[in-house]
């Protein structure tokens, strides 16, 4: 019997050895030309066909070449996320791959080509087909032009170093009878097969190499260093060259960690203790790391930081230094551990990595920092504890960041392919939701079954390619309960979860309740009985379709709650509580809160906040806003803002009521019903009052990443104006206008196309107008802008007033929709404020208004960076006057497009304006003080 066991053991070891070595192999000589930022590479690639298919072609990832074209997928993603640096980069800052030779091991040149529309993928025709379980070697000679690191943090650095990722030509992952043809989308998710590396790296002697491959030797000769590095069973590896070494090494009994993640306020002993604690924690939950060395860089963390409220500037940081370092290191460590231990398809199955990482980060904080609050040390100030933002547990922020997108109808399913996720979801919300879903599953399974499943999954798949199916099997092996709901609804669906109480009846001995499943997603939900916020009982209600009714024995609890501990990542928890007390006790009492706060589902929150406004006629107008707008959006919102004008000694302000109806499965994703009203001065001696009910239908593409948006707007505006002696023209006091507007907009860095049509009717006039805006950024970084506007009156009974005329040189804002700070000014800096609209002329040519029809065009072309030339031309027709050709031209300083610009007139119908007196008053300025507009400038890349 013992002999048979020995024979079996030897056979098993031989089989395992063969299995582990049944993978690709790369041998390469790499020479750095530091002056040119180039890598000269001679490479042998041995491809092992582990599939059951015969391969006649290979697909090689050449992601460095994505930096060579401003039409690559990488460039397109920069454009639609409003990242300007790449499209305005100099040629020497871009990257490229120059392939000099691809041949068989016998020297036969092989045919190859870059895939259509995918400049970073190479298709190679093999000399001989590769049969299943066979291998073939090809030879490659190529030169990498390394890009600047200012686009993605990878490339050559200003300090003279290099941070490289996905730089070698490596075979794409082959699975399910096809190669993964993924282009570089700035997602760090290249899909490779398992590969053994053996590299000889030649670098100048002043540079030092840091990598998580094993360094077998280093030699110095002829002013250069030659590193020999190797690794087995890898899909990728880190590669850093630094002239001034910033990496340091920590070792324990299981792993060596090489890192340059810094925190100047912690000493080496403190860092070592934290790193050791994190390594032990991860090993306890996932098992031993399958490699002996891990390299973690500041670049790794910068590309995937811990997004949360600890992103506050350092001078107002509310977290201790050691906790901040723990978060940074833990997230980077987990990311590297999972990427190097689990060989999944990183684009299609990213949610497994993301979910495990987020889940373990929550577990770590719960274990080592159970009392940590979302705003850290601010909790020690008693007067701040009334804010939910301050008193909420630290781990609750994961749920809030998910809801930030879900409440906007912008959330996406974790199982969605990664390149289809919008940036905020890819970096934060979807990643957090995957972790919350695992936490939900862990609570439901109980007895640490999830932790055991994770350890088993990592141990079984550390040395082979794996898949989502393997993960499902690992989870299901730990329980007899059905958990298909986890995959079907939490991972593969974006349908929200929302439970509420429908009916509750009580007797002296029992309580009968009906729970409503508002979205029909069949998931388990925990029911709680509470007394004075203490949990009396907890009971899991198994999944049900719509409504379920149950009867429970009545004990000391006086309130029922669903999902009280927020174990279920629910869309709306405001309807989860129901009191059993008699009398007039409300289910949710009112709470007044100073400043915007997080949503608290146990209270009806009324937020009050001091406000301040300004326009030339009212002056500085302080006020007090009363609203219900927490950080999370809600369907119905109100905002009432009375203000006091010291200049006019009168009450001013504005008010808005809005209801958002979201259609989650439709392209008509949002219908907004709103009522707005405002009261301010429009001249020194006169005010206006406006009330504006409106209805907006918002449409988006099926592709959430698309910046294409459409909207239909129906609006009615009723305006009452006091008479003013400040304006020369006859002023109409009271009027109402019905309008219909259609907007079709597609805005990116590389191009912009907007179409807007507007129809307005009132008792005294009817008018139609349309405009087209087009902007194109060329590959040479020159930019061309053109806008065409046409408008005409269908009828105009205002023979003695220009109140409703089209504005040629200044938008005629009779509906009070624009942020004009001095709307009635004819001279001075406030008259120079420019908002692109209607005629769009910058010079004050005559006529300034048009009462019959006009057609104008506005053009600009940049000559250097943000300096542009502009020109306007048009034909205008007023009643009782012949049509007139008008024009102007000048220089545009396009500092921040559409937000902060200067127009310097040069020549127009008025002659050479640049030589005329009082020229500074002719300059037009684009600027805004509206906080919402400014915030959008910084957040548009995320949403």
């Amino acid at each position: 019997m013992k002999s048979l066991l020995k024979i079996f053991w030897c056979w098993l070891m031989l089989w395992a050895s063969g299995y582990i070595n049944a993978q690709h192999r790369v041998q390469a000589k790499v020479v750095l030309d530091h002056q040119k930022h180039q890598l000269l590479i001679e490479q042998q690639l041995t491809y092992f066909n582990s599939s059951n298919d015969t391969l006649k072609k290979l697909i090689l990832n050449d992601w460095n070449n994505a930096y060579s074209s401003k039409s690559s997928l990488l460039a397109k993603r920069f454009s639609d996320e409003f990242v300007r640096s790449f499209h305005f980069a100099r040629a020497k800052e871009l990257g490229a791959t120059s392939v000099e030779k691809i041949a068989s091991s016998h020297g036969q040149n092989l045919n190859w080509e870059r895939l259509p529309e995918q400049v970073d993928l190479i298709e190679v025709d093999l000399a001989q087909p590769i049969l299943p379980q066979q291998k073939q070697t090809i030879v490659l000679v190529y030169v990498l032009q390394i890009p600047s690191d200012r686009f993605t943090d990878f490339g050559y650095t200003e300090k003279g170093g290099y941070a490289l990722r996905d730089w070698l030509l490596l075979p794409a992952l082959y699975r399910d009878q096809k190669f993964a043809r993924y282009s570089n989308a700035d997602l760090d998710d290249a899909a490779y097969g398992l590969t053994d590396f053996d590299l000889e790296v030649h670098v100048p002697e002043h540079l030092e190499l840091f990598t998580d491959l094993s360094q077998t030797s280093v030699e110095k000769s002829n002013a250069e260093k030659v590193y020999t590095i190797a690794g087995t069973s890898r899909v990728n590896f880190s590669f850093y060259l630094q002239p001034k070494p910033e990496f340091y090494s920590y070792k324990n009994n299981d792993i060596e960690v090489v890192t340059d993640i810094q925190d100047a306020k912690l000493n080496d002993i403190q860092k070592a203790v934290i790193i050791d604690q994190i390594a032990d924690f991860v090993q306890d939950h996932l098992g031993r790391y399958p490699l002996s060395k891990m390299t973690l860089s500041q670049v790794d963390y910068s590309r995937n930081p811990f997004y949360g409220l600890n992103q506050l500037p350092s001078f107002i940081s509310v977290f201790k230094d050691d906790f901040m370092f723990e978060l940074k290191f833990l997230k980077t460590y987990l990311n590297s551990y999972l990427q190097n231990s689990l060989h999944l398809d990183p684009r299609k199955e990213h949610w497994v990595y993301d979910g495990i990482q987020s889940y373990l980060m929550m577990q770590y904080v719960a274990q080592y920092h159970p009392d940590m609050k979302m705003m850290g040390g601010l909790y020690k100030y008693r007067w701040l504890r009334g804010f939910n933002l301050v008193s909420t547990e630290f781990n609750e922020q994961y749920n809030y960041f998910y809801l930030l997108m879900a409440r906007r109808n912008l959330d996406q399913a974790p199982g969605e392919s990664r390149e289809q996720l919008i940036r905020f979801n890819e970096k934060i919300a979807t990643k957090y939701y995957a972790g919350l879903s695992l936490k939900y599953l862990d609570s439901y399974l109980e007895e640490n079954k999830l932790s055991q499943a994770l350890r088993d999954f990592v141990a079984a798949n550390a040395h082979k390619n794996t898949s989502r199916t393997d993960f499902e099997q690992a989870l299901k092996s730990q329980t007899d309960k059905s958990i298909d709901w986890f995959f079907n609804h939490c991972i593969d669906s974006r349908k929200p979860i929302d439970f509420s109480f429908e009916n509750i009846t009580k007797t002296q001995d029992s309580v009968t309740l009906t729970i409503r499943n508002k979205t029909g997603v069949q998931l388990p939900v925990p029911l709680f009985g509470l007394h004075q916020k203490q949990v009396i009982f907890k009971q899991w209600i198994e999944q049900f379709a719509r409504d379920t009714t149950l009867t429970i024995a009545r004990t000391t609890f006086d309130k029922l709650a669903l999902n009280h501990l927020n174990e279920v990542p629910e869309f709306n928890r405001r309807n989860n509580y129901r009191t059993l007390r008699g009398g007039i006790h409300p289910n949710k009492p009112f709470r007044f809160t100073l400043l915007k706060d997080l949503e608290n589902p146990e209270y009806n929150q009324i937020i009050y906040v001091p406000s301040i406004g300004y326009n030339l006629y009212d002056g500085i107008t302080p006020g007090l806003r009363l609203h219900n707008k927490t950080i999370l959006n809600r369907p119905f919102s109100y905002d009432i803002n009375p203000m006091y004008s010291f200049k006019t000694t009168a009450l001013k302000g504005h008010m808005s009521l809005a209801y958002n109806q979201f259609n989650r499965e439709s392209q008509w994703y949002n219908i907004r019903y709103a009522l707005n009203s405002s009261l301010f001065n429009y001249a020194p001696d006169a005010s206006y009052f406006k009330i504006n009910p409106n209805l907006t239908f918002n449409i988006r593409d099926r592709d959430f990443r698309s910046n294409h948006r459409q909207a239909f707007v129906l609006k009615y505006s009723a305006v009452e104006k006091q008479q003013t002696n400040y304006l020369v023209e006859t002023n109409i006091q009271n009027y109402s206008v019905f309008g219909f507007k259609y907007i079709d907009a597609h805005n990116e860095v590389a191009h912009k196309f907007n179409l807007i049509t507007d129809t307005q009717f009132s008792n005294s006039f009817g008018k139609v107008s349309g405009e087209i805006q087009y902007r194109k950024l060329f590959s040479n970084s020159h930019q061309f802008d053109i806008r065409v506007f046409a408008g005409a009156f269908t009828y105009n009974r205002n023979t003695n007033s220009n109140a409703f005329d089209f504005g040629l040189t200044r938008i005629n804002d009779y509906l009070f929709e624009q942020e004009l700070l001095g709307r009635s000014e004819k001279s001075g800096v406030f008259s120079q404020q420019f908002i692109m609209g209607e005629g769009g002329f910058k010079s004050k040519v005559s006529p300034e208004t048009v009462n019959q029809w006009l057609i104008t065009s506005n053009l600009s072309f940049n000559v250097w960076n943000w300096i542009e030339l502009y020109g306007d031309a048009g034909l205008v027709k007023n009643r009782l006057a012949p049509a007139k050709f008008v024009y102007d031209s000048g220089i545009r300083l396009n500092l921040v497009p559409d937000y902060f610009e200067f127009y310097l007139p040069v020549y127009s119908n008025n002659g050479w304006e640049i030589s005329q007196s009082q020229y500074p008053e002719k300059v037009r300025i684009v600027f805004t003080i509206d906080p919402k507009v400014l915030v959008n400038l910084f957040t548009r890349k995320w949403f």
Side-chain angles (χ1 to χ4, degrees):
M1 185 65 180
K2 290 184 178 180
S3 298
L4 288 175
L5 287 174
K6 288 181 179 180
I7 292 172
F8 174 76
W9 178 252
C10 290
W11 175 85
L12 182 62
M13 293 301 293
L14 287 171
W15 177 86
S17 176
Y19 180 81
I20 292 172
N21 288 294
Q23 51 204 18
H24 316 315
R25 181 174 180 81
V26 169
Q27 297 171 284
K29 177 182 178 182
V30 181
V31 180
L32 172 64
D33 185 332
H34 185 52
Q35 296 300 318
K36 297 181 180 180
H37 301 310
Q38 290 182 345
L39 290 176
L40 289 69
I41 301 173
E42 298 176 4
Q43 176 179 327
Q44 279 192 346
L45 167 61
T46 300
Y47 186 93
F48 179 82
N49 182 7
S50 59
S51 74
N52 295 321
D53 305 322
T54 297
L55 303 180
K56 297 180 180 180
K57 298 176 183 290
L58 293 183
I59 299 295
L60 303 180
N61 286 329
D62 181 16
W63 278 21
N64 183 72
N65 203 56
Y67 296 92
S68 67
S69 170
K70 293 184 180 179
S71 61
S72 67
L73 176 62
L74 180 67
K76 291 176 182 177
R77 288 179 71 89
F78 287 146
S79 176
D80 66 34
E81 292 178 1
F82 298 93
V83 178
R84 296 167 56 88
S85 59
F86 184 78
H87 287 274
F88 286 94
R90 295 169 292 176
K92 67 179 184 179
E93 295 178 303
L94 303 179
T97 303
S98 175
V99 179
E100 298 179 359
K101 176 183 178 182
I102 299 181
S104 69
S105 58
H106 302 295
Q108 177 185 353
N109 287 331
L110 303 178
N111 294 325
W112 63 273
E113 65 177 357
R114 297 192 181 279
L115 296 183
E117 306 299 324
Q118 291 182 285
V119 298
D120 49 8
L121 294 180
I122 295 175
E123 184 178 74
V124 180
D125 295 329
L126 296 170
Q128 298 292 332
I130 310 178
L131 299 176
Q133 308 306 311
Q134 298 297 311
K135 59 187 177 182
Q136 188 175 132
T137 299
I138 63 174
V139 177
L140 306 101
V141 179
Y142 54 101
V143 178
L144 295 182
Q145 181 65 53
I146 302 171
S148 168
D149 72 336
R150 72 189 188 100
F151 312 127
T152 63
D153 290 328
F154 291 116
Y156 67 83
T157 71
E158 291 184 356
K159 295 181 179 180
Y162 298 85
L164 302 181
R165 185 183 180 91
D166 301 316
W167 52 284
L168 285 170
L169 295 185
L170 298 177
L173 176 67
Y174 187 86
R175 197 170 77 175
D176 299 329
Q177 299 183 317
K178 60 184 178 181
F179 284 100
R181 303 188 178 206
Y182 302 154
S183 284
N184 187 351
D186 190 28
L187 297 172
D188 301 336
D189 63 348
Y192 304 116
L194 285 170
T195 305
D196 293 341
F197 293 95
D198 191 351
L199 307 180
E200 180 184 293
V201 183
H202 298 246
V203 300
E205 62 180 352
H206 74 283
L207 293 177
E208 189 166 342
L209 173 64
F210 297 92
T211 176
D212 48 6
L213 296 184
S214 299
Q215 180 178 309
T216 57
S217 68
V218 58
E219 299 178 359
K220 296 182 181 180
S221 64
N222 299 324
E224 72 172 11
K225 291 178 183 175
V226 180
Y227 289 91
T228 302
I229 55 178
T232 60
S233 300
R234 306 298 299 258
V235 291
N236 211 336
F237 60 91
S238 57
F239 189 94
Y240 302 95
L241 293 168
Q242 292 185 345
K244 182 180 179 182
E246 298 177 353
F247 283 86
Y248 49 93
S249 176
Y250 290 94
K251 293 182 181 180
N252 62 19
N253 295 330
D254 300 304
I255 189 173
E256 177 187 3
V257 178
V258 179
T259 181
D260 69 342
I261 297 177
Q262 300 288 339
D263 192 307
K265 297 179 181 180
L266 299 181
N267 59 46
D268 289 344
I269 294 177
Q270 290 173 303
K271 292 177 185 176
V273 170
I274 290 172
I275 292 173
D276 203 48
Q277 176 175 286
I278 289 173
D280 288 343
F281 169 83
V282 175
Q283 181 166 309
D284 289 343
H285 286 78
L286 295 179
R288 185 167 182 169
Y289 187 57
L291 304 172
S292 61
K293 183 180 180 182
M294 182 187 294
T295 299
L296 307 176
S297 72
Q298 185 64 37
V299 170
D300 295 328
Y301 176 73
S302 297
R303 287 187 56 77
N304 288 285
F306 182 85
Y307 292 99
L309 297 178
N310 63 324
Q311 297 299 111
L312 294 169
S314 59
F315 65 89
I316 56 171
S317 177
V318 295
F319 297 99
K320 293 182 178 180
D321 298 325
D322 54 352
F323 180 70
M324 292 290 290
F325 182 78
E326 279 181 81
L327 288 181
K328 292 168 62 175
F329 196 88
L330 174 63
K331 183 164 188 181
T332 313
Y333 186 94
L334 281 169
N335 186 62
S336 182
Y337 184 105
L338 293 167
Q339 295 288 339
N340 291 318
S341 300
L342 298 175
H343 310 302
L344 297 148
D345 182 329
R347 185 157 294 186
K348 303 296 184 184
E349 299 166 334
H350 61 93
W351 68 268
V352 180
Y353 297 119
D354 297 341
I356 296 174
Q357 182 190 65
S358 298
Y359 166 74
L360 288 181
M361 292 192 71
M362 286 185 271
Q363 294 295 100
Y364 182 90
V365 171
Q367 179 174 333
Y368 292 104
H369 304 280
D371 298 324
M372 182 60 66
K373 302 298 181 181
M374 191 179 289
M375 289 299 289
L378 292 184
Y379 184 74
K380 66 183 179 182
Y381 300 104
R382 288 185 173 274
W383 60 278
L384 290 175
R385 292 182 185 178
F387 290 98
N388 202 33
L389 182 65
V390 173
S391 60
T392 297
E393 300 297 323
F394 184 86
N395 280 340
E396 286 295 305
Q397 67 183 286
Y398 292 88
N399 192 59
Y400 279 107
F401 274 104
Y402 153 66
L403 288 176
L404 191 67
M405 299 302 282
R407 296 283 184 86
R408 295 175 176 219
N409 199 11
L410 289 174
D411 56 307
Q412 293 170 277
E416 190 106 21
S417 184
R418 194 171 186 180
E419 84 280 4
Q420 295 175 352
L421 299 178
I422 57 180
R423 178 61 76 173
F424 194 94
N425 286 335
E426 184 261 318
K427 291 290 187 184
I428 308 174
T430 303
K431 182 176 291 190
Y432 287 1
Y433 185 71
L436 290 166
S437 298
L438 281 177
K439 182 173 176 286
Y440 175 21
L441 181 64
D442 183 35
S443 297
Y444 176 69
L445 295 179
E446 300 176 332
E447 299 176 0
N448 293 318
K449 291 181 179 179
L450 177 63
S451 294
Q452 185 59 52
L454 294 180
R455 287 192 292 269
D456 292 346
F457 178 58
V458 173
N461 296 282
H463 295 292
K464 65 176 184 178
N465 289 322
T466 187
S467 69
R468 163 194 169 128
T469 302
D470 298 319
F471 187 53
E472 289 186 24
Q473 292 174 349
L475 292 176
K476 290 180 177 179
S477 68
Q478 294 297 318
T479 181
D480 294 328
K481 297 180 179 180
S482 173
I483 58 172
D484 288 336
W485 56 264
F486 171 78
F487 303 99
N488 296 337
H489 299 301
C490 295
I491 303 303
D492 293 331
S493 171
R494 64 181 295 266
K495 200 167 186 179
I497 305 168
D498 190 8
F499 295 100
S500 67
F501 290 109
E502 187 70 11
N503 295 306
I504 294 181
T505 58
K506 55 188 178 180
T507 67
Q508 187 174 358
D509 300 320
S510 66
V511 175
T512 300
L513 61 141
T514 299
I515 301 173
R516 184 183 177 193
N517 185 344
K518 300 184 70 173
T519 61
V521 179
Q522 297 189 44
L523 302 168
V525 60
L527 171 68
F528 293 82
L530 308 176
H531 177 68
Q532 297 181 353
K533 296 186 178 182
Q534 298 298 313
V535 175
I536 304 302
F537 77 87
K538 174 185 178 182
Q539 174 184 341
W540 279 96
I541 310 301
E542 294 299 331
Q543 51 263 43
F544 57 95
R546 281 297 176 185
D547 296 331
T548 187
T549 300
L550 64 153
T551 300
I552 55 177
R554 189 167 183 180
T555 58
T556 57
F557 62 88
D558 54 17
K559 180 182 276 190
L560 290 173
L562 294 169
N563 193 25
H564 176 65
L565 299 180
N566 202 14
E567 295 156 290
V568 183
E570 205 174 352
F571 180 80
N572 177 23
R573 293 179 59 221
R574 298 191 306 275
N575 53 16
N576 284 16
Y577 292 85
R578 184 66 66 90
T579 183
L580 299 181
R581 288 176 291 176
I584 60 172
H585 298 288
N587 288 323
K588 291 190 298 182
F590 286 94
R591 169 177 283 186
F592 287 85
T593 305
L594 176 66
L595 304 177
K596 181 173 282 193
D597 196 8
L598 286 179
E599 180 177 284
N600 190 329
E602 297 188 47
Y603 293 92
N604 286 307
Q605 292 165 288
I606 299 177
I607 297 167
Y608 61 98
V609 55
S611 66
I612 191 166
Y614 176 81
N615 69 58
L616 180 62
Y617 312 118
D618 290 307
I620 296 175
T621 51
L624 182 69
R625 284 181 62 200
L626 297 172
H627 64 91
N628 69 335
K629 298 178 182 178
T630 61
I631 294 175
L632 300 179
N633 288 359
R634 57 179 60 188
F636 174 74
S637 64
Y638 60 85
D639 192 334
I640 303 171
N641 188 12
M643 309 171 82
Y644 182 77
S645 167
F646 285 103
K647 198 167 186 177
T648 63
T649 64
L651 188 66
K652 306 295 180 181
H654 54 82
M655 177 272 292
S656 67
L657 306 173
Y659 179 80
N660 280 293
Q661 176 184 331
F662 286 113
N663 305 307
R664 295 184 64 84
E665 304 304 323
S666 172
Q667 288 183 271
W668 297 67
Y669 79 104
N670 171 232
I671 302 174
R672 179 177 175 85
Y673 310 83
L675 176 66
N676 304 313
S677 181
S678 59
L679 172 64
F680 291 102
N681 266 39
Y682 73 97
D685 58 346
S687 64
Y688 75 88
F689 172 74
K690 182 187 79 167
I691 187 166
N692 168 222
N694 56 87
L695 176 63
T696 304
F697 300 87
N698 289 302
I699 308 169
R700 68 179 174 205
D701 285 2
R702 296 290 184 187
D703 176 9
F704 278 33
R705 283 195 58 84
S706 172
N707 288 340
H708 184 206
R709 295 289 187 272
Q710 298 177 76
F712 293 91
V713 183
L714 299 172
K715 60 182 179 179
Y716 177 81
S717 299
V719 179
E720 293 185 1
K721 295 166 61 178
Q722 293 179 344
Q723 187 68 38
T724 177
N725 297 318
Y726 191 70
L727 300 175
V728 175
E729 65 268 13
T730 302
N731 196 269
I732 297 178
Q733 291 181 261
N734 302 323
Y735 51 88
S736 57
V737 180
F738 174 81
F740 172 78
K741 181 179 287 189
Y742 169 70
I743 303 169
D744 188 324
H746 193 160
N747 295 334
E748 297 180 8
V749 165
H751 70 272
K752 169 182 178 178
F753 179 84
N754 288 349
L755 170 66
I756 303 173
T757 65
D758 193 9
T759 303
Q760 297 179 10
F761 294 99
S762 75
N763 290 332
S764 57
F765 75 91
K767 63 198 301 190
V768 293
S769 64
E771 68 177 270
I772 295 175
Q773 303 173 19
Y774 178 76
R775 180 171 65 213
K776 173 67 176 178
L777 177 64
F778 298 100
S779 58
N780 60 4
S781 298
H782 287 301
Q783 181 171 281
F784 174 73
D785 259 310
I786 183 170
R787 173 181 177 269
V788 177
F789 177 84
F793 280 88
T794 57
Y795 60 92
N796 189 354
R797 304 188 181 106
N798 298 295
T799 57
N800 297 319
S801 171
N802 62 0
F804 306 112
D805 288 2
F806 291 105
L808 179 64
T809 65
R810 193 180 191 192
I811 189 169
N812 190 2
D813 187 30
Y814 51 85
L815 296 181
F816 299 95
E817 296 175 334
Q818 306 295 332
E819 292 292 328
L820 289 166
L821 300 181
R823 60 180 58 248
S824 298
E825 295 305 291
K826 300 299 182 181
S827 62
V829 67
F830 288 95
S831 70
Q832 296 171 243
Q833 183 182 0
F834 179 77
I835 294 176
M836 178 59 77
E838 300 185 339
F841 270 57
K842 291 79 185 176
S843 295
K844 297 179 180 179
V845 298
S846 179
E848 292 188 3
T849 64
V850 179
N851 60 24
Q852 192 165 350
W853 60 261
L854 79 164
I855 180 169
T856 61
S857 63
N858 318 111
L859 298 91
S860 65
F861 181 81
N862 77 310
V863 292
W864 180 82
N865 206 351
W866 40 266
I867 299 177
E868 303 179 10
L869 301 178
Y870 76 82
D872 305 315
L875 198 62
V876 302
K877 175 68 171 66
N878 276 313
R879 287 177 303 192
L880 306 179
K884 180 180 180 181
F885 177 70
V886 288
Y887 61 90
D888 69 4
S889 61
I891 299 171
R892 177 187 184 188
L893 304 182
N894 190 3
L895 303 179
V896 182
D898 306 323
Y899 293 93
F900 189 56
E901 307 174 14
F902 289 91
Y903 290 92
L904 311 176
V906 175
Y907 188 74
S908 70
N909 290 83
N910 299 326
W912 288 98
E913 299 197 49
I914 197 169
S915 62
Q916 296 173 2
S917 61
Q918 298 180 323
Y919 179 76
E921 294 185 7
K922 299 177 182 292
V923 175
R924 305 299 295 275
I925 309 169
V926 176
F927 65 94
T928 180
I929 61 172
D930 185 350
K932 294 180 180 178
V933 176
L934 295 173
V935 167
N936 180 63
L937 175 63
F938 298 101
T939 60
R940 56 187 177 177
K941 70 169 285 186
W942 292 95
F943 305 105

